[in-house]
Amino acid sequence: MRVHRFVTNDLTIRVAAVDATAAVQEMQKLQNAMPLATIGMGRAMVGALLMSSQLKPGQEVGILLKGNGPLGSLYAQSNYEGQVRAYCPHPEYIAHQEEDFLNLKKALGFGQLTISRQQPFQKQPFYGTVEMVSGEVGEDIAHYLHQSHQIRSLVSLGVYLDSYGKVKSAGGLLLEVMPGVEETVVDKVQKNADSQQEAVSKLILAGQSPEEFVRPYLEGIPFTELPHPFEVKYFCPCTPERVKGALSTLGITDLEEMIAQKQDTEVQCQMCGRRYDVKTEELESLKENLRKSSMH
Ligand SMILES: [Zn+2]
């Protein structure tokens, strides 16, 4: 599975599409995520995969939706090469009311969408932030592209779960209209899109390939596929230093408690589940650093 990229022959519309089922299933397995977090992280992963495929080798896109609802936030990151990962602070969250079991908008609440774009040889990534307009991820990304980059787009992201809450399919498409396009072409695309009844995740479940589910959107407009030969993969580049560093968010009191127990402990990367051993001395030095930084 890889991100497929297409461009119309007049170069005014570009489309990226992906079947990300395996990567989203892997995320759900590693994080033991419940339906709402799975749908949210899954959609963000698909969005990040699609957006990063339009960049250059080595570049990354991070998508952060930060709301005031019980799910807290959703984060996904992908690079041009199709390596993708995701994080949610409350993967275990389940809505109280049955009618809200799949209501991502309600679980996320009101908030902001921030998209970062990292580039090799540049220290600071580029950040853009907009208000969330729907909390369903796809519409929020479309809103961001319009507000921050003046790009009109269609963003369709989907995760399909079975009755046990397990991922059956996941994927989506991102269609972007470039400046200078003929309005008649835009009308044609809009009309094509309006006649699409089925969600992308259902089309993938039915066995359609990215090329097959993109085709109806570009009906009547000649287009070409661009090479993009990277296998999509759930991949976490965590290092012991970074994961252990996260312990400093615990604060001095908690660290002291752990130190007092005089046992080597273990921390787990929340994105991939990998475990790292932490020695008591390491806890001591984390505490010392915290103490120093809290003094000024
Ligand atoms: Zn990790």
Side-chain angles (χ1 to χ4, degrees), residues 236 238 269 272:
C236 183
C238 62
C269 171
C272 69

Side-chain angles (χ1 to χ4, degrees), residues 249-264:
T249 58
L250 284 176
I252 293 177
T253 326
D254 285 347
L255 284 173
E256 274 173 344
E257 224 167 83
M258 292 169 77
I259 293 164
Q261 289 169 0
K262 287 240 184 279
Q263 286 173 1
D264 291 347

Side-chain angles (χ1 to χ4, degrees), residues 21 44 46 73 81 117 129 154 169 172 181 205 217 224 271 290:
T21 306
V46 173
S73 58
E81 287 78 12
R117 220 164 75 176
T129 298
L154 272 166
S169 68
V181 68
L205 190 65
Y217 286 86
T224 317
M271 295 205 204
L290 267 184

Side-chain angles (χ1 to χ4, degrees), residues 22-292:
V24 176
Q25 282 173 333
E26 178 74 2
M27 173 276 288
Q28 184 176 41
K29 199 176 88 191
L30 288 170
Q31 304 194 14
N32 204 8
M34 298 312 274
L36 279 166
T38 300
I39 292 173
M41 284 191 278
R43 286 187 193 164
M45 282 168 67
V46 173
L49 277 165
L50 297 174
M51 287 184 78
S52 59
S53 77
Q54 305 289 23
L55 302 178
K56 295 198 169 63
Q59 293 183 336
E60 288 182 347
V61 166
I63 295 180
L64 172 68
L65 294 112
K66 203 167 180 352
N68 60 0
L71 203 56
S73 58
L74 295 167
Y75 180 70
Q77 189 184 42
S78 173
N79 61 16
Y80 178 82
E81 287 78 12
Q83 297 175 325
V84 63
R85 62 175 177 159
Y87 172 71
C88 170
H90 303 293
E92 75 290 348
Y93 174 71
I94 298 171
H96 296 303
Q97 307 288 331
E98 197 176 338
E99 70 260 30
D100 292 336
F101 278 180
L102 300 176
N103 191 339
L104 185 61
K105 185 187 187 128
K106 198 164 171 183
L108 207 48
F110 297 103
Q112 291 180 320
L113 162 68
T114 299
I115 294 193
S116 66
R117 220 164 75 176
Q118 277 173 329
Q119 299 179 15
F121 316 116
Q122 280 188 8
K123 278 220 169 99
Q124 295 301 321
F126 168 83
Y127 286 99
T129 298
V130 294
E131 293 293 313
M132 281 198 274
V133 287
S134 83
E136 300 286 353
V137 189
E139 285 171 56
D140 300 298
I141 291 174
H143 178 63
Y144 164 84
L145 287 170
H146 194 240
Q147 292 292 306
S148 300
H149 300 278
Q150 290 75 49
I151 291 174
R152 288 181 285 172
S153 66
L154 272 166
V155 188
S156 175
L157 313 173
V159 176
Y160 189 85
L161 306 180
D162 67 13
S163 51
Y164 302 100
K166 296 279 171 230
V167 175
K168 292 297 281 183
S169 68
L173 72 89
L174 165 65
L175 182 152
E176 293 168 285
V177 178
M178 298 293 123
V181 68
E182 297 267 356
E183 284 309 308
T184 51
V185 176
V186 178
D187 291 344
K188 207 178 268 181
V189 170
Q190 190 60 56
K191 229 168 133 197
N192 288 342
D194 290 344
S195 62
Q196 296 309 302
Q197 303 294 331
E198 207 70 91
V200 171
S201 57
K202 276 203 174 165
L203 297 174
I204 293 172
L205 190 65
Q208 284 200 10
S209 67
E211 204 271 344
E212 285 171 312
F213 65 75
V214 163
R215 187 167 286 283
Y217 286 86
L218 295 176
E219 190 72 58
I221 309 164
F223 68 95
T224 317
E225 179 162 1
L226 301 169
H228 192 74
F230 307 101
E231 200 64 27
V232 168
K233 209 173 165 220
Y234 193 88
F235 174 80
C236 183
C238 62
T239 61
E241 291 70 31
R242 253 190 273 176
V243 176
K244 289 175 195 175
L247 279 175
S248 37
T249 58
L250 284 176
I252 293 177
T253 326
D254 285 347
L255 284 173
E256 274 173 344
E257 224 167 83
M258 292 169 77
I259 293 164
Q261 289 169 0
K262 287 240 184 279
Q263 286 173 1
D264 291 347
T265 175
E266 209 180 45
V267 277
Q268 194 173 13
C269 171
Q270 289 175 296
M271 295 205 204
C272 69
R274 213 174 293 159
R275 291 166 188 277
Y276 296 98
D277 290 326
V278 192
K279 303 244 172 285
T280 315
E281 305 89 78
E282 293 178 293
L283 292 173
E284 295 271 12
S285 82
L286 273 174
K287 191 193 91 180
E288 194 53 26
N289 288 341
L290 267 184
R291 200 181 56 82
K292 274 186 209 147

